[in-house]
PDB file of all heavy atoms in Angstrom:
ATOM      1  N   ALA A  54     -10.052 -28.107   6.539  1.00 51.00           N
ATOM      2  CA  ALA A  54      -8.627 -28.250   6.818  1.00 51.00           C
ATOM      3  C   ALA A  54      -8.388 -28.839   8.201  1.00 51.00           C
ATOM      4  O   ALA A  54      -7.386 -29.517   8.427  1.00 51.00           O
ATOM      5  CB  ALA A  54      -7.938 -26.897   6.711  1.00 51.00           C
ATOM      6  N   MET A  55      -9.319 -28.592   9.114  1.00 52.00           N
ATOM      7  CA  MET A  55      -9.129 -29.085  10.475  1.00 52.00           C
ATOM      8  C   MET A  55      -9.155 -30.606  10.544  1.00 52.00           C
ATOM      9  O   MET A  55      -8.573 -31.218  11.451  1.00 52.00           O
ATOM     10  CB  MET A  55     -10.193 -28.495  11.393  1.00 52.00           C
ATOM     11  CG  MET A  55     -10.114 -26.980  11.497  1.00 52.00           C
ATOM     12  SD  MET A  55     -11.357 -26.276  12.577  1.00 52.00           S
ATOM     13  CE  MET A  55     -11.015 -24.528  12.370  1.00 52.00           C
ATOM     14  N   ALA A  56      -9.818 -31.232   9.594  1.00 50.00           N
ATOM     15  CA  ALA A  56      -9.894 -32.686   9.591  1.00 50.00           C
ATOM     16  C   ALA A  56      -8.551 -33.327   9.308  1.00 50.00           C
ATOM     17  O   ALA A  56      -8.339 -34.514   9.575  1.00 50.00           O
ATOM     18  CB  ALA A  56     -10.914 -33.154   8.559  1.00 50.00           C
ATOM     19  N   GLN A  57      -7.620 -32.538   8.764  1.00 52.00           N
ATOM     20  CA  GLN A  57      -6.314 -33.049   8.397  1.00 52.00           C
ATOM     21  C   GLN A  57      -5.279 -32.858   9.504  1.00 52.00           C
ATOM     22  O   GLN A  57      -4.105 -33.145   9.334  1.00 52.00           O
ATOM     23  CB  GLN A  57      -5.832 -32.356   7.123  1.00 52.00           C
ATOM     24  CG  GLN A  57      -6.763 -32.541   5.939  1.00 52.00           C
ATOM     25  CD  GLN A  57      -6.299 -31.747   4.727  1.00 52.00           C
ATOM     26  OE1 GLN A  57      -5.207 -31.240   4.691  1.00 52.00           O
ATOM     27  NE2 GLN A  57      -7.164 -31.658   3.738  1.00 52.00           N
ATOM     28  N   VAL A  58      -5.709 -32.297  10.635  1.00 54.00           N
ATOM     29  CA  VAL A  58      -4.756 -32.045  11.715  1.00 54.00           C
ATOM     30  C   VAL A  58      -4.154 -33.355  12.197  1.00 54.00           C
ATOM     31  O   VAL A  58      -4.849 -34.302  12.529  1.00 54.00           O
ATOM     32  CB  VAL A  58      -5.453 -31.324  12.880  1.00 54.00           C
ATOM     33  CG1 VAL A  58      -4.499 -31.177  14.055  1.00 54.00           C
ATOM     34  CG2 VAL A  58      -5.946 -29.961  12.431  1.00 54.00           C
ATOM     35  N   ASP A  59      -2.843 -33.422  12.216  1.00 63.00           N
ATOM     36  CA  ASP A  59      -2.141 -34.625  12.641  1.00 63.00           C
ATOM     37  C   ASP A  59      -2.327 -34.837  14.131  1.00 63.00           C
ATOM     38  O   ASP A  59      -2.399 -33.887  14.911  1.00 63.00           O
ATOM     39  CB  ASP A  59      -0.648 -34.464  12.306  1.00 63.00           C
ATOM     40  CG  ASP A  59       0.095 -35.770  12.435  1.00 63.00           C
ATOM     41  OD1 ASP A  59       0.438 -36.131  13.575  1.00 63.00           O
ATOM     42  OD2 ASP A  59       0.341 -36.407  11.388  1.00 63.00           O
ATOM     43  N   THR A  60      -2.370 -36.093  14.545  1.00 67.00           N
ATOM     44  CA  THR A  60      -2.570 -36.376  15.974  1.00 67.00           C
ATOM     45  C   THR A  60      -1.412 -35.880  16.826  1.00 67.00           C
ATOM     46  O   THR A  60      -1.582 -35.624  18.017  1.00 67.00           O
ATOM     47  CB  THR A  60      -2.748 -37.889  16.181  1.00 67.00           C
ATOM     48  OG1 THR A  60      -1.629 -38.583  15.606  1.00 67.00           O
ATOM     49  CG2 THR A  60      -4.029 -38.389  15.542  1.00 67.00           C
ATOM     50  N   ASP A  61      -0.226 -35.735  16.218  1.00 72.00           N
ATOM     51  CA  ASP A  61       0.906 -35.205  16.974  1.00 72.00           C
ATOM     52  C   ASP A  61       0.636 -33.787  17.454  1.00 72.00           C
ATOM     53  O   ASP A  61       1.252 -33.323  18.424  1.00 72.00           O
ATOM     54  CB  ASP A  61       2.176 -35.210  16.118  1.00 72.00           C
ATOM     55  CG  ASP A  61       2.703 -36.616  15.883  1.00 72.00           C
ATOM     56  OD1 ASP A  61       2.281 -37.531  16.641  1.00 72.00           O
ATOM     57  OD2 ASP A  61       3.520 -36.800  14.967  1.00 72.00           O
ATOM     58  N   THR A  62      -0.286 -33.110  16.796  1.00 76.00           N
ATOM     59  CA  THR A  62      -0.613 -31.739  17.191  1.00 76.00           C
ATOM     60  C   THR A  62      -1.076 -31.687  18.631  1.00 76.00           C
ATOM     61  O   THR A  62      -0.747 -30.755  19.378  1.00 76.00           O
ATOM     62  CB  THR A  62      -1.719 -31.185  16.282  1.00 76.00           C
ATOM     63  OG1 THR A  62      -1.256 -31.198  14.930  1.00 76.00           O
ATOM     64  CG2 THR A  62      -2.096 -29.761  16.675  1.00 76.00           C
ATOM     65  N   TYR A  63      -1.811 -32.681  19.045  1.00 78.00           N
ATOM     66  CA  TYR A  63      -2.360 -32.652  20.389  1.00 78.00           C
ATOM     67  C   TYR A  63      -1.282 -32.797  21.446  1.00 78.00           C
ATOM     68  O   TYR A  63      -1.423 -32.311  22.572  1.00 78.00           O
ATOM     69  CB  TYR A  63      -3.437 -33.728  20.519  1.00 78.00           C
ATOM     70  CG  TYR A  63      -4.599 -33.459  19.587  1.00 78.00           C
ATOM     71  CD1 TYR A  63      -4.761 -34.199  18.427  1.00 78.00           C
ATOM     72  CD2 TYR A  63      -5.506 -32.426  19.844  1.00 78.00           C
ATOM     73  CE1 TYR A  63      -5.800 -33.933  17.541  1.00 78.00           C
ATOM     74  CE2 TYR A  63      -6.547 -32.156  18.972  1.00 78.00           C
ATOM     75  CZ  TYR A  63      -6.688 -32.917  17.828  1.00 78.00           C
ATOM     76  OH  TYR A  63      -7.707 -32.640  16.950  1.00 78.00           O
ATOM     77  N   ARG A  64      -0.176 -33.474  21.095  1.00 81.00           N
ATOM     78  CA  ARG A  64       0.946 -33.547  22.031  1.00 81.00           C
ATOM     79  C   ARG A  64       1.551 -32.164  22.233  1.00 81.00           C
ATOM     80  O   ARG A  64       1.948 -31.801  23.337  1.00 81.00           O
ATOM     81  CB  ARG A  64       1.991 -34.529  21.513  1.00 81.00           C
ATOM     82  CG  ARG A  64       1.491 -35.969  21.392  1.00 81.00           C
ATOM     83  CD  ARG A  64       2.635 -36.930  21.104  1.00 81.00           C
ATOM     84  NE  ARG A  64       2.146 -38.288  20.905  1.00 81.00           N
ATOM     85  CZ  ARG A  64       1.919 -38.817  19.712  1.00 81.00           C
ATOM     86  NH1 ARG A  64       2.152 -38.106  18.626  1.00 81.00           N
ATOM     87  NH2 ARG A  64       1.478 -40.052  19.605  1.00 81.00           N
ATOM     88  N   GLU A  65       1.625 -31.398  21.123  1.00 81.00           N
ATOM     89  CA  GLU A  65       2.135 -30.043  21.234  1.00 81.00           C
ATOM     90  C   GLU A  65       1.189 -29.165  22.044  1.00 81.00           C
ATOM     91  O   GLU A  65       1.631 -28.289  22.805  1.00 81.00           O
ATOM     92  CB  GLU A  65       2.332 -29.431  19.832  1.00 81.00           C
ATOM     93  CG  GLU A  65       3.286 -30.206  18.937  1.00 81.00           C
ATOM     94  CD  GLU A  65       4.695 -30.228  19.488  1.00 81.00           C
ATOM     95  OE1 GLU A  65       5.062 -29.275  20.204  1.00 81.00           O
ATOM     96  OE2 GLU A  65       5.419 -31.197  19.211  1.00 81.00           O
ATOM     97  N   LEU A  66      -0.108 -29.403  21.890  1.00 85.00           N
ATOM     98  CA  LEU A  66      -1.068 -28.629  22.662  1.00 85.00           C
ATOM     99  C   LEU A  66      -0.954 -28.932  24.150  1.00 85.00           C
ATOM    100  O   LEU A  66      -1.173 -28.047  24.988  1.00 85.00           O
ATOM    101  CB  LEU A  66      -2.489 -28.917  22.179  1.00 85.00           C
ATOM    102  CG  LEU A  66      -2.840 -28.356  20.796  1.00 85.00           C
ATOM    103  CD1 LEU A  66      -4.241 -28.811  20.373  1.00 85.00           C
ATOM    104  CD2 LEU A  66      -2.766 -26.837  20.804  1.00 85.00           C
ATOM    105  N   ASP A  67      -0.612 -30.162  24.487  1.00 87.00           N
ATOM    106  CA  ASP A  67      -0.375 -30.502  25.896  1.00 87.00           C
ATOM    107  C   ASP A  67       0.770 -29.665  26.456  1.00 87.00           C
ATOM    108  O   ASP A  67       0.712 -29.181  27.592  1.00 87.00           O
ATOM    109  CB  ASP A  67      -0.053 -31.988  26.047  1.00 87.00           C
ATOM    110  CG  ASP A  67      -1.288 -32.872  25.881  1.00 87.00           C
ATOM    111  OD1 ASP A  67      -2.408 -32.342  26.027  1.00 87.00           O
ATOM    112  OD2 ASP A  67      -1.127 -34.077  25.596  1.00 87.00           O
ATOM    113  N   GLN A  68       1.840 -29.503  25.646  1.00 88.00           N
ATOM    114  CA  GLN A  68       2.972 -28.695  26.088  1.00 88.00           C
ATOM    115  C   GLN A  68       2.554 -27.238  26.269  1.00 88.00           C
ATOM    116  O   GLN A  68       2.956 -26.564  27.226  1.00 88.00           O
ATOM    117  CB  GLN A  68       4.115 -28.792  25.074  1.00 88.00           C
ATOM    118  CG  GLN A  68       5.380 -28.080  25.514  1.00 88.00           C
ATOM    119  CD  GLN A  68       6.522 -28.266  24.526  1.00 88.00           C
ATOM    120  OE1 GLN A  68       6.301 -28.654  23.387  1.00 88.00           O
ATOM    121  NE2 GLN A  68       7.736 -27.995  24.974  1.00 88.00           N
ATOM    122  N   PHE A  69       1.712 -26.755  25.347  1.00 88.00           N
ATOM    123  CA  PHE A  69       1.211 -25.391  25.464  1.00 88.00           C
ATOM    124  C   PHE A  69       0.431 -25.218  26.764  1.00 88.00           C
ATOM    125  O   PHE A  69       0.601 -24.225  27.485  1.00 88.00           O
ATOM    126  CB  PHE A  69       0.318 -25.059  24.267  1.00 88.00           C
ATOM    127  CG  PHE A  69      -0.501 -23.814  24.453  1.00 88.00           C
ATOM    128  CD1 PHE A  69       0.073 -22.565  24.301  1.00 88.00           C
ATOM    129  CD2 PHE A  69      -1.847 -23.887  24.811  1.00 88.00           C
ATOM    130  CE1 PHE A  69      -0.670 -21.404  24.488  1.00 88.00           C
ATOM    131  CE2 PHE A  69      -2.597 -22.748  25.002  1.00 88.00           C
ATOM    132  CZ  PHE A  69      -2.007 -21.498  24.843  1.00 88.00           C
ATOM    133  N   MET A  70      -0.422 -26.179  27.087  1.00 91.00           N
ATOM    134  CA  MET A  70      -1.220 -26.073  28.310  1.00 91.00           C
ATOM    135  C   MET A  70      -0.338 -26.130  29.553  1.00 91.00           C
ATOM    136  O   MET A  70      -0.642 -25.478  30.559  1.00 91.00           O
ATOM    137  CB  MET A  70      -2.266 -27.193  28.358  1.00 91.00           C
ATOM    138  CG  MET A  70      -3.414 -26.992  27.381  1.00 91.00           C
ATOM    139  SD  MET A  70      -4.232 -25.375  27.571  1.00 91.00           S
ATOM    140  CE  MET A  70      -4.755 -25.436  29.292  1.00 91.00           C
ATOM    141  N   ASP A  71       0.782 -26.889  29.467  1.00 92.00           N
ATOM    142  CA  ASP A  71       1.712 -26.911  30.604  1.00 92.00           C
ATOM    143  C   ASP A  71       2.282 -25.524  30.861  1.00 92.00           C
ATOM    144  O   ASP A  71       2.351 -25.065  32.010  1.00 92.00           O
ATOM    145  CB  ASP A  71       2.856 -27.898  30.329  1.00 92.00           C
ATOM    146  CG  ASP A  71       2.391 -29.355  30.369  1.00 92.00           C
ATOM    147  OD1 ASP A  71       1.312 -29.602  30.951  1.00 92.00           O
ATOM    148  OD2 ASP A  71       3.101 -30.209  29.817  1.00 92.00           O
ATOM    149  N   VAL A  72       2.682 -24.827  29.764  1.00 91.00           N
ATOM    150  CA  VAL A  72       3.212 -23.458  29.911  1.00 91.00           C
ATOM    151  C   VAL A  72       2.123 -22.524  30.418  1.00 91.00           C
ATOM    152  O   VAL A  72       2.364 -21.684  31.293  1.00 91.00           O
ATOM    153  CB  VAL A  72       3.794 -22.963  28.570  1.00 91.00           C
ATOM    154  CG1 VAL A  72       4.225 -21.504  28.684  1.00 91.00           C
ATOM    155  CG2 VAL A  72       4.963 -23.836  28.141  1.00 91.00           C
ATOM    156  N   TYR A  73       0.938 -22.664  29.858  1.00 91.00           N
ATOM    157  CA  TYR A  73      -0.195 -21.828  30.263  1.00 91.00           C
ATOM    158  C   TYR A  73      -0.438 -21.951  31.768  1.00 91.00           C
ATOM    159  O   TYR A  73      -0.588 -20.953  32.481  1.00 91.00           O
ATOM    160  CB  TYR A  73      -1.428 -22.258  29.478  1.00 91.00           C
ATOM    161  CG  TYR A  73      -2.689 -21.493  29.791  1.00 91.00           C
ATOM    162  CD1 TYR A  73      -2.998 -20.321  29.115  1.00 91.00           C
ATOM    163  CD2 TYR A  73      -3.588 -21.945  30.766  1.00 91.00           C
ATOM    164  CE1 TYR A  73      -4.157 -19.609  29.387  1.00 91.00           C
ATOM    165  CE2 TYR A  73      -4.751 -21.245  31.041  1.00 91.00           C
ATOM    166  CZ  TYR A  73      -5.034 -20.087  30.351  1.00 91.00           C
ATOM    167  OH  TYR A  73      -6.182 -19.392  30.635  1.00 91.00           O
ATOM    168  N   ASN A  74      -0.454 -23.172  32.284  1.00 92.00           N
ATOM    169  CA  ASN A  74      -0.703 -23.397  33.702  1.00 92.00           C
ATOM    170  C   ASN A  74       0.445 -22.884  34.561  1.00 92.00           C
ATOM    171  O   ASN A  74       0.227 -22.391  35.681  1.00 92.00           O
ATOM    172  CB  ASN A  74      -0.944 -24.883  33.962  1.00 92.00           C
ATOM    173  CG  ASN A  74      -2.280 -25.351  33.393  1.00 92.00           C
ATOM    174  OD1 ASN A  74      -3.260 -24.607  33.402  1.00 92.00           O
ATOM    175  ND2 ASN A  74      -2.321 -26.584  32.891  1.00 92.00           N
ATOM    176  N   LEU A  75       1.696 -23.008  34.055  1.00 93.00           N
ATOM    177  CA  LEU A  75       2.841 -22.479  34.790  1.00 93.00           C
ATOM    178  C   LEU A  75       2.732 -20.969  34.953  1.00 93.00           C
ATOM    179  O   LEU A  75       3.014 -20.418  36.018  1.00 93.00           O
ATOM    180  CB  LEU A  75       4.141 -22.841  34.070  1.00 93.00           C
ATOM    181  CG  LEU A  75       4.627 -24.289  34.218  1.00 93.00           C
ATOM    182  CD1 LEU A  75       5.815 -24.544  33.291  1.00 93.00           C
ATOM    183  CD2 LEU A  75       5.023 -24.572  35.675  1.00 93.00           C
ATOM    184  N   VAL A  76       2.342 -20.294  33.868  1.00 92.00           N
ATOM    185  CA  VAL A  76       2.179 -18.833  33.933  1.00 92.00           C
ATOM    186  C   VAL A  76       1.070 -18.462  34.907  1.00 92.00           C
ATOM    187  O   VAL A  76       1.224 -17.562  35.746  1.00 92.00           O
ATOM    188  CB  VAL A  76       1.885 -18.271  32.533  1.00 92.00           C
ATOM    189  CG1 VAL A  76       1.531 -16.786  32.610  1.00 92.00           C
ATOM    190  CG2 VAL A  76       3.079 -18.475  31.609  1.00 92.00           C
ATOM    191  N   LYS A  77      -0.046 -19.148  34.821  1.00 91.00           N
ATOM    192  CA  LYS A  77      -1.179 -18.845  35.704  1.00 91.00           C
ATOM    193  C   LYS A  77      -0.804 -19.041  37.170  1.00 91.00           C
ATOM    194  O   LYS A  77      -1.231 -18.283  38.039  1.00 91.00           O
ATOM    195  CB  LYS A  77      -2.364 -19.744  35.351  1.00 91.00           C
ATOM    196  CG  LYS A  77      -3.047 -19.420  34.032  1.00 91.00           C
ATOM    197  CD  LYS A  77      -3.882 -18.159  34.128  1.00 91.00           C
ATOM    198  CE  LYS A  77      -5.098 -18.341  35.007  1.00 91.00           C
ATOM    199  NZ  LYS A  77      -5.946 -17.113  35.039  1.00 91.00           N
ATOM    200  N   ALA A  78       0.037 -20.043  37.423  1.00 91.00           N
ATOM    201  CA  ALA A  78       0.344 -20.379  38.815  1.00 91.00           C
ATOM    202  C   ALA A  78       1.501 -19.570  39.374  1.00 91.00           C
ATOM    203  O   ALA A  78       1.558 -19.327  40.591  1.00 91.00           O
ATOM    204  CB  ALA A  78       0.669 -21.877  38.914  1.00 91.00           C
ATOM    205  N   ASN A  79       2.430 -19.107  38.541  1.00 93.00           N
ATOM    206  CA  ASN A  79       3.683 -18.575  39.070  1.00 93.00           C
ATOM    207  C   ASN A  79       4.018 -17.141  38.668  1.00 93.00           C
ATOM    208  O   ASN A  79       4.963 -16.566  39.212  1.00 93.00           O
ATOM    209  CB  ASN A  79       4.851 -19.485  38.634  1.00 93.00           C
ATOM    210  CG  ASN A  79       4.705 -20.885  39.186  1.00 93.00           C
ATOM    211  OD1 ASN A  79       4.841 -21.116  40.389  1.00 93.00           O
ATOM    212  ND2 ASN A  79       4.421 -21.832  38.302  1.00 93.00           N
ATOM    213  N   TYR A  80       3.308 -16.555  37.702  1.00 91.00           N
ATOM    214  CA  TYR A  80       3.658 -15.196  37.283  1.00 91.00           C
ATOM    215  C   TYR A  80       3.481 -14.230  38.446  1.00 91.00           C
ATOM    216  O   TYR A  80       2.614 -14.420  39.305  1.00 91.00           O
ATOM    217  CB  TYR A  80       2.797 -14.768  36.092  1.00 91.00           C
ATOM    218  CG  TYR A  80       3.242 -13.457  35.482  1.00 91.00           C
ATOM    219  CD1 TYR A  80       4.474 -13.361  34.843  1.00 91.00           C
ATOM    220  CD2 TYR A  80       2.451 -12.321  35.584  1.00 91.00           C
ATOM    221  CE1 TYR A  80       4.893 -12.148  34.308  1.00 91.00           C
ATOM    222  CE2 TYR A  80       2.858 -11.113  35.049  1.00 91.00           C
ATOM    223  CZ  TYR A  80       4.089 -11.034  34.408  1.00 91.00           C
ATOM    224  OH  TYR A  80       4.504  -9.843  33.893  1.00 91.00           O
ATOM    225  N   VAL A  81       4.312 -13.183  38.487  1.00 90.00           N
ATOM    226  CA  VAL A  81       4.360 -12.282  39.633  1.00 90.00           C
ATOM    227  C   VAL A  81       3.015 -11.612  39.904  1.00 90.00           C
ATOM    228  O   VAL A  81       2.686 -11.322  41.055  1.00 90.00           O
ATOM    229  CB  VAL A  81       5.468 -11.225  39.416  1.00 90.00           C
ATOM    230  CG1 VAL A  81       5.165 -10.348  38.208  1.00 90.00           C
ATOM    231  CG2 VAL A  81       5.680 -10.393  40.672  1.00 90.00           C
ATOM    232  N   ASP A  82       2.230 -11.351  38.858  1.00 90.00           N
ATOM    233  CA  ASP A  82       0.899 -10.787  39.022  1.00 90.00           C
ATOM    234  C   ASP A  82      -0.135 -11.761  38.471  1.00 90.00           C
ATOM    235  O   ASP A  82       0.169 -12.607  37.624  1.00 90.00           O
ATOM    236  CB  ASP A  82       0.777  -9.460  38.262  1.00 90.00           C
ATOM    237  CG  ASP A  82       1.679  -8.380  38.832  1.00 90.00           C
ATOM    238  OD1 ASP A  82       1.792  -8.302  40.065  1.00 90.00           O
ATOM    239  OD2 ASP A  82       2.275  -7.622  38.029  1.00 90.00           O
ATOM    240  N   LYS A  83      -1.368 -11.621  38.952  1.00 90.00           N
ATOM    241  CA  LYS A  83      -2.438 -12.418  38.384  1.00 90.00           C
ATOM    242  C   LYS A  83      -2.651 -12.009  36.936  1.00 90.00           C
ATOM    243  O   LYS A  83      -2.645 -10.820  36.609  1.00 90.00           O
ATOM    244  CB  LYS A  83      -3.723 -12.246  39.179  1.00 90.00           C
ATOM    245  CG  LYS A  83      -3.680 -12.889  40.558  1.00 90.00           C
ATOM    246  CD  LYS A  83      -5.032 -12.774  41.260  1.00 90.00           C
ATOM    247  CE  LYS A  83      -4.999 -13.464  42.619  1.00 90.00           C
ATOM    248  NZ  LYS A  83      -6.308 -13.385  43.316  1.00 90.00           N
ATOM    249  N   VAL A  84      -2.854 -12.998  36.070  1.00 89.00           N
ATOM    250  CA  VAL A  84      -2.996 -12.733  34.643  1.00 89.00           C
ATOM    251  C   VAL A  84      -4.382 -13.146  34.190  1.00 89.00           C
ATOM    252  O   VAL A  84      -4.849 -14.254  34.501  1.00 89.00           O
ATOM    253  CB  VAL A  84      -1.937 -13.494  33.822  1.00 89.00           C
ATOM    254  CG1 VAL A  84      -2.044 -13.116  32.339  1.00 89.00           C
ATOM    255  CG2 VAL A  84      -0.543 -13.184  34.335  1.00 89.00           C
TER     256      VAL A  84
END
Side-chain angles (χ1 to χ4, degrees):
M55 297 180 183
Q57 301 176 12
V58 175
D59 192 279
T60 55
D61 289 343
T62 300
Y63 297 105
R64 297 190 184 97
E65 301 296 332
L66 289 175
D67 286 340
Q68 185 177 17
F69 166 78
M70 287 306 302
D71 289 341
V72 175
Y73 180 88
N74 290 325
L75 284 172
V76 173
K77 289 286 291 183
N79 298 290
Y80 188 66
V81 63
D82 295 320
K83 290 184 178 181
V84 184

